[in-house]
Amino acid sequence: MKIITLKNEALQSEKIAQDTAAFIRKNPGALLCLAAGDTPLEAYRQLIRLQAAGEVDLGSVYYVGLDEWEGIGRETSGSCMQVMFDGFYDPAGIPADRIVAWNGLNDDPEAEKKRIEDWIGLRGGIDFTLLGIGMNGHVGFNEPGTGLPEGCLRVKLDETTRRVSVKYFGRALPIEYGLSIGAGELKKAKKVFLIASGRHKAEIVMKTARMPASAEVPSSLMTDHPDITLYLDEAAAEQLG
Ligand code: GLP
């Protein structure tokens, strides 16, 4: 796994945006799976700036949502859908027919999983994915112990994820399950970016990059992908030695 460490989060986001734009330029029509969460938001703003400068056409590719909190929809600030549409898809002007995102309000999770799987199938698989490493090492909602499932899954969220969710919603919501593309499906992508920033991620980054791969640290299961890059700021890289 290639590791790129930048001095701070601003420079890290700039580099992630440039490298994502380079992939898009080379792969028109590709299917991208971009994480919500706090970590990539500045990189998404940078990508929109690159588009405004004429350096990339973000509408030349297709998108699939990575994950969603079950029972939560776009009208809830902090849902993955709200974060992605308000933070990226809408300001980037991506046509609606190029995006399929999870609807956490669908009361039939099996149908919802199939809808996402069908879109991935229609586009011939995910080509590129950008994944934020969660505090417990999850990627999407592939929680510790989930392994490398292909297709999509409904997962019981672990305690860390439920505790961390307060930062997105500003309060504790009664969420028990998450919907996600499986880590094995994500791993089939041609190119994988793993990202983490801040000192609070230093320990899980060390476990991801320096310890033997383990199902208890889902991000570590991605590291033997043939084209994976881990983007860090110096604070997140602190325990790498
Ligand atoms: C969250 C989200 C993911 C996100 C990850 C890291 O729970 N469901 O989409 O990539 O965990 O989040 P953050 O970047 O806020 O640390």
Side-chain angles (χ1 to χ4, degrees), residues 7-49:
K7 184 132 200 76
N8 54 46
E9 214 181 323
L11 293 173
Q12 176 195 14
S13 298
E14 206 178 297
K15 175 71 176 150
I16 293 166
Q18 281 165 357
D19 291 356
T20 304
F23 180 87
I24 293 172
R25 277 195 299 268
K26 276 194 220 128
N27 297 276
L31 180 62
L32 274 63
C33 178
L34 305 180
D38 291 337
T39 317
L41 288 180
E42 182 53 29
Y44 298 156
R45 284 191 277 271
Q46 294 279 357
L47 266 175
I48 293 164
R49 278 182 216 125

Side-chain angles (χ1 to χ4, degrees), residues 35-40 66-69 80 131-135 138-141 161 164 167-168 200-201:
D38 291 337
T39 317
L66 172 62
D67 56 2
E68 189 56 277
W69 309 87
C80 298
L131 302 168
I133 303 177
M135 285 301 288
H138 74 196
V139 289
F141 281 133
T161 300
V164 171
K167 77 168 174 160
Y168 306 114
H200 61 300
K201 294 280 176 73

Side-chain angles (χ1 to χ4, degrees), residues 81-219:
M81 215 193 207
Q82 182 271 321
V83 167
M84 289 308 292
F85 275 88
D86 294 347
F88 181 64
Y89 298 134
D90 284 352
I94 311 295
D97 63 359
R98 292 205 164 232
I99 309 161
V100 172
W102 290 93
N103 172 16
L105 294 177
N106 188 341
D107 55 16
D108 183 349
E110 289 308 310
E112 194 54 21
K113 280 162 52 184
K114 186 167 183 317
R115 195 172 65 84
I116 300 291
E117 286 168 355
D118 285 351
W119 174 241
I120 294 172
L122 185 70
R123 305 276 14 128
I126 296 168
D127 296 292
F128 171 96
T129 186
L130 187 162
L131 302 168
I133 303 177
M135 285 301 288
N136 59 2
H138 74 196
V139 289
F141 281 133
N142 290 268
E143 297 284 46
T146 310
L148 287 168
E150 297 190 4
C152 293
L153 68 158
R154 175 178 186 254
V155 202
K156 194 162 172 62
L157 298 175
D158 88 0
E159 208 190 307
T160 306
T161 300
R162 280 188 279 133
R163 183 165 34 81
V164 171
S165 73
V166 174
K167 77 168 174 160
Y168 306 114
F169 303 117
R171 64 208 145 114
L173 292 177
I175 304 167
E176 267 193 83
Y177 290 90
L179 299 162
S180 182
I181 297 176
E185 191 66 38
L186 296 165
K187 208 172 171 179
K188 289 195 277 182
K190 293 185 191 82
K191 196 181 227 354
V192 178
F193 286 4
L194 265 186
I195 68 171
S197 56
R199 188 155 292 122
H200 61 300
K201 294 280 176 73
E203 187 180 351
I204 197 67
V205 164
M206 182 274 289
K207 287 181 178 166
T208 302
R210 293 286 184 262
M211 309 277 269
S214 145
E216 285 315 301
V217 182
S219 46

